[in-house]
Amino acid sequence: MDLDDFDHQLLRLLSLDARQTGKELSEKVGLSSAACLRRVQRLREVGAIEREVAIVSPEATGASVTLLVMLMLSRGQPERMAKLRQKLLTLREVKKIYHVTGPADLVLTVQCSSMEAYATFTEAHFYEDDIKGFDTIVVLRSYDPEPET
């Protein structure tokens, strides 16, 4: 992808708030509204913007506890890891999966309504042959960059 400084500025702004208008973007990057909108469309077309999503409030879903779970997998065939990953992605509590380096093989972002709900979740999904073990980090608070005004 051939992206210039304006494109990078637009990507950062949109990563904070994708609902910004062409006028709002133009005031922040110094291009016309039309130029900003053309660039945003091009960024979508070339794949720089993969998708636009809504960040749903945990209160709206009742999932007020966020956890980072490091899964250590039994060594085996890559197909087994892919099958496990696909299974985990179907679970409503699993918000994101990262394939990582280090002692863990996968890191999951999980949201549950309570620690008791998380305990039930782990018992249902983490005690199987493909998973050697897991460690959990409970998120106390999260901080996001503030949208630029």
Side-chain angles (χ1 to χ4, degrees):
M1 287 179 221
D2 186 24
L3 305 179
D4 64 17
D5 287 341
F6 288 114
D7 293 327
H8 288 288
Q9 288 178 57
L10 289 168
L11 288 171
R12 173 156 168 51
L13 291 166
L14 292 170
S15 73
L16 298 172
D17 180 2
R19 295 181 63 180
Q20 294 179 76
T21 66
K23 182 177 187 286
E24 291 169 324
L25 294 169
S26 73
E27 291 169 358
K28 294 172 185 171
V29 299
L31 293 174
S32 71
S33 296
C36 285
L37 293 175
R38 278 194 305 274
R39 283 175 175 265
V40 169
Q41 184 58 39
R42 185 180 68 78
L43 291 168
R44 288 183 184 113
E45 290 168 1
V46 300
I49 297 174
E50 293 180 7
R51 60 191 172 127
E52 296 171 55
V53 299
I55 299 172
V56 179
S57 163
E59 291 80 20
T61 62
S64 58
V65 179
T66 301
L67 310 114
L68 305 176
V69 183
M70 295 161 287
L71 291 181
M72 284 67 74
L73 305 180
S74 301
R75 295 293 172 225
Q77 300 162 337
E79 309 86 55
R80 290 175 68 180
M81 179 194 258
K83 187 175 178 180
L84 175 64
R85 190 174 56 243
Q86 288 307 313
K87 175 191 162 206
L88 292 170
L89 284 169
T90 66
L91 304 174
R92 68 178 173 81
E93 295 89 350
V94 176
K95 304 305 175 190
K96 186 88 171 179
I97 298 178
Y98 300 94
H99 186 187
V100 298
T101 62
D105 298 294
L106 299 174
V107 174
L108 286 61
T109 303
V110 175
Q111 289 185 329
C112 293
S113 60
S114 65
M115 288 305 294
E116 181 61 32
Y118 177 62
T120 301
F121 175 83
T122 63
E123 291 164 359
H125 303 292
F126 293 164
Y127 293 95
E128 60 177 68
D129 291 339
D130 288 334
I131 299 175
K132 186 168 54 174
F134 66 96
D135 287 323
T136 304
I137 297 172
V138 178
V139 176
L140 299 175
R141 291 186 183 110
S142 69
Y143 304 93
D144 293 319
E146 291 295 321
E148 297 176 20
T149 57

